[in-house]
């Protein structure tokens, strides 16, 4: 709080340059934007992301169905794992050729990731499928969706704060460069004999 009364006293300082005042107001404006606008933008983006993710959760829960699959044999090929959430747990999963019944009643077979360490023919495991029986990823859960929304909000707020601070630093750098250019011009006008006895007489 001492900085603000100091700023008002500084306005009437006879040594104060116009650029000094502009720089002070620029710093104050940037601080207010970082403290007020950046969090508001973060909350807004986090809320929008949360709404979109919760809609996605509801859609996935409506369209993804757990079905029981039966192991036919271990698979030598490496199928693509459709669930990015399980990427870290692939070591505990085995690639198998399996068969399952789609929600519409048709028989399906294909490569799948089984949560079995040593799958044998006839073992059962759960897979997630769409309405046509194609293997899809496990539906996103509400807690994970909320976590992603919060991270999106924090990331946006941090990016906004960084953008404001970067803009402030760029403007201050340009003001300082302009100030140095003016000093160079003043020194050039004064000439190499400035300050010597008898100069200009």
């Amino acid at each position: 709080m001492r900085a603000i009364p100091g700023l008002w006293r500084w306005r009437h300082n006879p040594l104060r340059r116009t650029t000094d005042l502009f720089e002070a107001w620029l710093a104050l404006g940037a601080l207010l934007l970082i403290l007020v606008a950046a969090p508001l933008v973060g909350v807004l983006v986090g809320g929008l992301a949360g709404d979109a993710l919760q809609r996605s959760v509801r859609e996935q829960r409506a369209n993804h169905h757990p079905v029981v699959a039966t192991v036919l044999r271990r698979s030598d090929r490496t199928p693509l794992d459709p669930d990015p959430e399980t990427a870290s747990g692939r070591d505990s999963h085995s690639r198998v050729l399996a068969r399952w019944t789609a929600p519409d009643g048709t028989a399906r077979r294909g490569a799948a990731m089984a949560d079995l360490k040593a799958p044998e023919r006839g073992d059962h495991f759960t897979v997630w499928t769409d309405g046509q029986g194609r293997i899809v990823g496990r539906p996103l859960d509400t807690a994970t969706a909320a976590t992603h929304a919060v991270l999106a909000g924090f990331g946006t707020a941090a990016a906004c704060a960084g953008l404001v601070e970067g803009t402030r630093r760029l403007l201050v750098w340009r003001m300082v460069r302009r100030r140095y250019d003016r000093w160079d011009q003043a020194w050039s006008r004064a000439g190499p004999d400035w300050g010597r006895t008898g100069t200009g007489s």
Side-chain angles (χ1 to χ4, degrees), residues 76-136:
D76 297 329
R77 288 179 22 188
T78 305
L80 293 175
D81 188 355
D83 188 359
E85 295 290 326
T86 62
S88 61
R90 285 182 185 166
D91 292 339
S92 62
H93 288 65
S94 302
R95 299 170 192 89
V96 298
L97 185 66
R99 71 167 182 266
W100 62 91
T101 303
D104 61 4
T106 58
R108 297 280 180 165
R109 63 182 289 163
M113 296 292 288
D115 54 351
L116 304 167
K117 290 186 179 179
E120 298 292 337
R121 182 181 175 85
D123 287 346
H124 300 289
F125 63 99
T126 302
V127 294
W128 289 88
T129 67
D130 60 12
Q132 287 74 43
R134 294 183 296 252
I135 292 181
V136 294

Side-chain angles (χ1 to χ4, degrees), residues 31-103:
L31 179 64
L32 290 175
L33 285 174
I34 289 171
L35 293 178
V36 177
L40 285 177
V41 172
V43 168
L44 178 64
V45 170
L48 292 174
D51 291 343
L53 287 169
Q54 292 304 328
R55 276 196 306 274
S56 179
V57 167
R58 288 191 294 274
E59 289 172 5
Q60 288 182 11
R61 284 184 177 171
N63 298 323
H64 294 191
H65 310 282
V67 297
V68 176
T70 304
V71 175
L72 298 177
R73 63 178 170 82
R74 292 187 82 132
S75 176
D76 297 329
R77 288 179 22 188
T78 305
L80 293 175
D81 188 355
D83 188 359
E85 295 290 326
T86 62
S88 61
R90 285 182 185 166
D91 292 339
S92 62
H93 288 65
S94 302
R95 299 170 192 89
V96 298
L97 185 66
R99 71 167 182 266
W100 62 91
T101 303

